[in-house]
Amino acid sequence: MSEDTRSHIYQIDLEADPETVFEALITPSAICQWWGASTAIVLPEMGGFWNAAWGDTDDPDYITFHRITEYEYPHVIELDETLYHTKFEAPPFDLNVKARFEVDPISDRFTSIRVIQSGFPQDEIADEFYAACEKGWHDTFEGLRKYITSGGEL
């Protein structure tokens, strides 16, 4: 991370094995359930892609496209080369963020999942978007927790 950007980390522990948690990150139907996406397309491999949209399927509110720049099943997936589209007001800065998910066993029954999102400008113009992303990861990972706890049915 360069000096002119910032990052944040969000982490939770889940009662599941690493494979179950990682599969939730790369399975489109799971992404739609726990993240509330209306559609998702994932090619889970190095150089593959991870795409999702939220809102009406034919006229989504938000669309995010990522290239998978690191892929180590079932422990790491890194999403970079972000393209972000919204039909609302776009962020007032170049959105060049990266999301790295790390999945680590912590016992026979529990797994830790961490997201490191980096590349936010230090400039105050990005403060509101940065804060919304921090809150968003809390809400998103709570959806993941409910998905995992329910055995994949929400």
Side-chain angles (χ1 to χ4, degrees):
M1 183 177 80
S2 75
E3 290 181 25
D4 58 341
T5 64
R6 56 186 155 169
S7 64
H8 57 84
I9 299 171
Y10 193 79
Q11 179 175 327
I12 63 171
D13 297 336
L14 300 169
E15 190 171 0
D17 58 66
E19 292 79 9
T20 298
V21 174
F22 200 86
E23 285 292 331
L25 295 175
I26 62 171
T27 304
S29 60
I31 294 163
C32 289
Q33 286 190 52
W34 66 265
W35 207 335
S38 52
T39 188
I41 302 170
V42 180
L43 178 59
E45 61 187 39
M46 185 68 168
F49 51 83
W50 192 106
N51 307 323
W54 291 263
D56 184 278
T57 302
D58 294 326
D59 186 23
D61 297 334
Y62 304 96
I63 305 170
T64 183
F65 299 87
H66 304 275
R67 177 73 56 195
I68 298 172
T69 54
E70 188 173 348
Y71 188 83
E72 298 172 25
Y73 183 91
H75 299 292
V76 175
I77 185 169
E78 186 172 86
L79 310 176
D80 199 355
E81 300 177 26
T82 302
L83 296 174
Y84 176 78
H85 172 77
T86 178
K87 66 181 187 181
F88 305 110
E89 187 175 341
F93 56 90
D94 183 25
L95 186 62
N96 186 23
V97 298
K98 177 188 302 188
R100 178 184 174 87
F101 295 90
E102 299 175 347
V103 178
D104 296 307
I106 53 178
S107 73
D108 289 344
R109 292 182 40 219
F110 289 90
T111 296
S112 173
I113 179 170
R114 172 177 42 264
V115 64
I116 304 160
Q117 193 173 30
S118 60
F120 294 94
Q122 289 282 7
D123 193 297
E124 68 184 37
I125 197 165
D127 288 352
E128 186 176 334
F129 191 84
Y130 179 81
C133 287
E134 285 184 310
K135 181 186 181 326
W137 284 116
H138 174 271
D139 296 345
T140 297
F141 273 22
E142 283 309 306
L144 180 60
R145 180 188 312 279
K146 289 176 185 173
Y147 176 81
I148 295 292
T149 302
S150 72
E153 298 294 325
L154 290 180

